[in-house]
Amino acid sequence: MLTPEQLAALRRDIVFNAELGGRNLTLHSTWGLFSPREIDEGTRLLLTHLEVQPDDDCFDLGCGYGAIGLAMAALAPRGRTLMVDKDFVAVDYATSNLEFNRLENAGAQLSNGFDQVDPELRFDLIASNVPAKVGKELLALLLHDAHARLRPGGRLYLVTINGLRQYMKRNLTEVFGNYDKLKQGPHYTVALACRFERPDNPDH
C-alpha cells in the first residue's frame, strides 16, 4: 500500500532537461503520457535526421508533451509550429512546455490527426513518432492527410519501429510517389517523403 506521501509524489510533474533544437529545454510530463521521464529512442533518432529551415511552418503529429514540436519551434524561429494530439493531457503539457521555455512561435491543440486543424493551414514540414499500434486504417488517413496539408516541396519525416518499415515504404511510395530511408537503427527507422507536384498535363 502506498503512503499518502508516495501518492503525492506520483501526482507531481516529472521534470527533466533535454537538448532540443540546439537549446537546453526543461520539460514537464506526467504518468500516462508516452515516455514521461526522458526523450525516447525513436524521437531522439528522428531529431538527429530532421532538417528544419528557420522560416519553416512545422506540424508535430501526435505531439505528446511536445518534444518534437519544441525542437522544430526552436529551429524555425521565423515560422510557426503547430502541435496536435488526441489526448487532452498531452496537449495541456505541450502547451505548458512551450510557455515554460518561451517558445512563442508555436501552439498546441486537441485533434485526432488533422480532423480539428484549420483546413486552410499548409505546412513545409510534418514530423511524427508514429505509435506502433496506430492501426493501418488511421495510418492510411494520416499519410493522405499529411500529403494534402504539405506545400509543394514540403517534407514528411516519420520514425517507426522497424517492424513497420516495409509497410511505410510501400504506403509512402504509393501516397507521395517517393520514399527515402534516412536511418535504420536497432529498433527504429526514420523515413522521409516529399510532396512533389504531379503535373496534370505533362506537355506544359
Side-chain angles (χ1 to χ4, degrees):
M1 181 76 82
L2 294 176
T3 66
E5 292 78 12
Q6 289 171 317
L7 285 169
L10 286 176
R11 294 186 205 282
R12 285 197 290 270
D13 278 3
I14 301 161
V15 183
F16 64 96
N17 291 329
E19 186 175 314
L20 296 169
R23 291 176 53 176
N24 188 37
L25 303 180
T26 299
L27 300 177
H28 290 242
S29 69
T30 190
W31 302 112
L33 296 180
F34 176 64
S35 192
R37 291 185 291 186
E38 62 181 1
I39 306 297
D40 67 285
E41 180 185 350
T43 294
R44 282 187 275 119
L45 190 66
L46 174 66
L47 292 175
T48 301
H49 295 276
L50 199 63
E51 292 188 13
V52 184
Q53 302 304 314
D55 56 355
D56 277 344
D57 290 325
C58 304
F59 187 86
D60 180 357
L61 175 58
C63 63
Y65 52 80
I68 296 171
L70 267 71
M72 294 193 295
L75 290 167
R78 298 197 300 272
R80 292 286 305 171
T81 293
L82 177 60
M83 305 150 67
V84 304
D85 202 287
K86 63 182 180 181
D87 182 339
F88 77 92
V89 178
V91 172
D92 283 350
Y93 275 87
T95 301
S96 297
N97 284 327
L98 287 171
E99 293 170 355
F100 188 84
N101 290 285
R102 296 186 174 89
L103 288 163
E104 297 175 356
N105 60 325
Q109 73 169 78
L110 199 62
S111 183
N112 185 23
F114 293 86
D115 67 0
Q116 300 299 311
V117 177
D118 180 348
E120 299 299 315
L121 286 179
R122 295 293 179 270
F123 303 94
D124 303 296
L125 183 127
I126 296 172
S128 182
N129 182 347
V130 181
K133 297 177 181 176
V134 68
K136 293 181 178 179
E137 296 83 3
L138 180 57
L139 201 48
L141 288 173
L142 295 177
L143 295 183
H144 281 86
D145 288 350
H147 183 270
R149 293 306 191 99
L150 283 170
R151 294 182 177 126
R155 295 99 62 209
L156 172 66
Y157 287 86
L158 299 175
V159 63
T160 60
I161 58 168
N162 286 341
L164 282 175
R165 181 170 53 87
Q166 291 300 326
Y167 176 85
M168 297 307 298
K169 180 179 181 179
R170 282 195 309 275
N171 284 270
L172 285 171
T173 302
E174 179 183 311
V175 175
F176 283 79
N178 61 88
Y179 166 90
D180 187 5
K181 183 176 76 174
L182 299 180
K183 178 67 177 180
Q184 183 175 341
H187 306 109
Y188 295 92
T189 297
V190 180
L192 168 66
C194 298
R195 175 172 179 167
F196 298 120
E197 288 302 281
R198 301 184 181 100
D200 294 326
N201 187 341
D203 295 329
H204 292 282

